Amino acid sequence: MFLHLLRDDEKEAFIDLARLAAAANGSISDEEDIMIEQYCAEMGISLPMSHARTLDGVLACFAESDTMSRKVVIMEIIGLLFSDGDFDEKEMQFIEKIADSLEVSRDQVREMIELTGRYINVLQDILCIIEGE
């Protein structure tokens, strides 16, 4: 939704981070795989084949990023982790680690998580109306 705001160098780093995030709980769901492909389409990039970067290496790519880009990264990763309907403790710990590294407050992260949950509920309500349930 907001990935177009990232610089070109941040976009590939974001995909590497998304892959690491999706694997944070030990498994990558089909929904998370699909979402990563959708992220690439949104950013107009090909799905990078390399998975070589470590979490610290990926986060270092955002060292010079502005505050808005850092918040976009966290917001979109939260959305990814919600995509399979199972946002668990390991995923929360992953989000907290990247937020700490990117210097985004825990309060802002909690607000992003709450807003993401509300957004998903609204989308489900809209689908119910459209599908006539």
Side-chain angles (χ1 to χ4, degrees):
M1 190 172 348
F2 302 105
L3 294 173
H4 67 281
L5 300 171
L6 299 180
R7 295 185 321 253
D8 289 342
D9 61 313
E10 294 170 329
K11 290 177 180 180
E12 191 167 323
F14 174 80
I15 294 301
D16 287 341
L17 183 60
R19 286 174 163 159
L20 292 168
N25 65 352
S27 66
I28 300 174
S29 70
D30 290 341
E31 293 89 352
E32 290 166 333
D33 266 339
I34 290 167
M35 192 111 163
I36 291 170
E37 290 174 11
Q38 290 173 343
Y39 284 155
C40 289
E42 177 182 343
M43 293 185 289
I45 65 172
S46 299
L47 185 64
M49 291 298 122
S50 172
H51 304 281
R53 289 195 246 198
T54 64
L55 179 57
D56 290 336
V58 172
L59 292 173
C61 295
F62 296 102
E64 302 300 318
S65 298
D66 61 25
T67 302
M68 183 184 68
S69 293
R70 291 173 183 211
K71 289 178 182 178
V72 164
V73 165
I74 293 170
M75 189 75 196
E76 295 285 358
I77 294 296
I78 290 169
L80 170 68
L81 297 177
F82 268 73
S83 69
D84 65 0
D86 181 30
F87 184 71
D88 63 30
E89 185 61 33
K90 288 181 182 177
E91 292 170 329
M92 183 63 192
Q93 291 169 355
F94 185 90
I95 290 292
E96 288 173 345
K97 182 173 182 164
I98 65 171
D100 291 346
S101 178
L102 298 180
E103 299 176 347
V104 174
S105 76
R106 297 274 177 104
D107 286 340
Q108 287 179 322
V109 169
R110 278 189 288 277
E111 187 175 1
M112 290 177 188
I113 290 168
E114 180 185 327
L115 289 170
T116 300
R118 289 179 11 210
Y119 175 73
I120 289 169
N121 288 336
V122 168
L123 286 177
Q124 289 170 341
D125 290 346
I126 291 169
L127 282 174
C128 285
I129 290 171
I130 291 171
E131 294 171 351
E133 295 179 10

